[in-house]
Amino acid sequence: MSRDLSGEFRAWAGVARSLRIYRLDRAHAASLRRFLSPMVRPGDLAFDVGAHVGDRVAALRALGARVVAVEPQARLARVLRLLHGRDAGVEIVRAALGAAEGAAVLRVNRANPTVSTLSEGFVAGAAGAPGWEGQSWDAEETAPMTTLDALAARFGPPAFVKIDVEGHEAEVLAGLSAPPPLLSFEVVAAARAAGVAALERAQALGYGGFRLSLGESHAWETDWLDAAAMRDLVAGLPDAANSGDVYCRP
């Protein structure tokens, strides 16, 4: 019992850390809104896949978009309901996304829930990688799995899909057949191959222009590039960059 209580405390302390970083920092919120504002119009429908504690949800709502927030972790889904559950413009779906419907087992980092993942390759790649020292995926959690296509059938076709699922991005894109006008997916230096796989899947869906933003800079690292140039950037992402988001347009 003491171990269970200790684990619960560790998990909620991790959630509190995420809230402090992503929701209580007003500069972060304002910067994120400025960055997204040229890409999102009032009334647009956005899917936030890997919504975490909802900083993107809040920014998208402030810009007038409707949001489907998708989060597999039960604690984080509970936080999303507390923060956005009374907002008719937000739908909260506790699920993982993949190529087909079913169930998923999530590797949970209780101290740092933002890097919880469905990808064993991501966990293996992060082990010993620069900047990932001390990270521990010390719990597992089962969640229902659905697809982007199923969400589009339920809520309508999105104008923007953001995917941040720690090395599982290509699998999420495998469940998409009708690409939205704008898509973003995370790339991580500790799992470069997963980023390349996601890029290749996005190219197969018909995207031809790609642009990179690093970390939480909310700034562009590149102009629009073709797939070959972006592949070279993702494959060579320096350890110091840690992570970034690739934005895709047809």
Side-chain angles (χ1 to χ4, degrees):
M1 178 64 73
S2 61
R3 282 200 302 270
D4 290 342
L5 290 175
S6 175
E8 279 297 300
F9 177 82
R10 180 178 172 85
W12 283 110
V15 172
R17 174 183 179 273
S18 289
L19 287 167
R20 184 173 65 254
I21 294 170
Y22 295 103
R23 292 305 297 259
L24 298 181
D25 186 336
R26 293 184 179 180
H28 169 85
S31 175
L32 184 56
R33 288 194 300 272
R34 286 193 298 270
F35 180 65
L36 292 174
S37 62
M39 296 180 263
V40 179
R41 296 175 299 179
D44 280 352
L45 176 63
F47 290 176
D48 184 353
V49 181
H52 192 218
V53 292
D55 58 327
R56 264 68 179 173
V57 176
L60 290 164
R61 287 296 291 141
L63 296 171
R66 297 172 293 125
V67 184
V68 176
V70 185
E71 174 54 53
Q73 296 179 70
R75 294 179 190 88
L76 296 184
R78 182 177 174 184
V79 168
L80 288 170
R81 291 188 188 99
L82 288 170
L83 293 173
H84 298 287
R86 296 183 180 181
D87 184 348
V90 177
E91 297 282 354
I92 298 163
V93 178
R94 192 206 158 213
L97 294 192
E101 295 191 333
V105 178
L106 188 74
R107 294 288 303 276
V108 177
N109 186 322
R110 287 186 287 190
N112 190 12
T114 187
V115 297
S116 297
T117 181
L118 291 173
S119 172
E120 293 291 342
F122 176 84
V123 174
W132 291 85
E133 296 85 355
Q135 296 296 320
S136 174
W137 287 264
D138 55 347
E140 291 186 350
E141 186 174 337
T142 301
M145 180 172 291
T146 188
T147 68
L148 282 170
D149 281 346
L151 290 180
R154 179 179 173 187
F155 297 108
F160 172 44
V161 173
K162 163 258 177 184
I163 306 170
D164 182 349
V165 289
E166 311 306 317
H168 189 69
E169 286 77 12
E171 289 80 2
V172 173
L173 289 172
L176 175 66
S177 58
L182 182 66
L183 170 80
S184 76
F185 61 85
E186 187 189 38
V187 293
V188 181
R192 296 175 183 85
V196 170
L199 177 65
E200 290 173 348
R201 176 60 186 166
Q203 188 180 14
L205 285 166
Y207 293 102
F210 305 91
R211 202 172 188 186
L212 179 66
S213 176
L214 290 179
E216 292 289 345
S217 66
H218 308 148
W220 295 117
E221 186 72 14
T222 69
D223 203 341
W224 290 102
L225 305 174
D226 64 18
M230 184 56 70
R231 187 188 191 285
D232 289 343
L233 275 178
V234 171
L237 195 68
D239 291 334
N242 194 5
S243 67
D245 295 290
V246 174
Y247 286 74
C248 315
R249 67 181 185 186

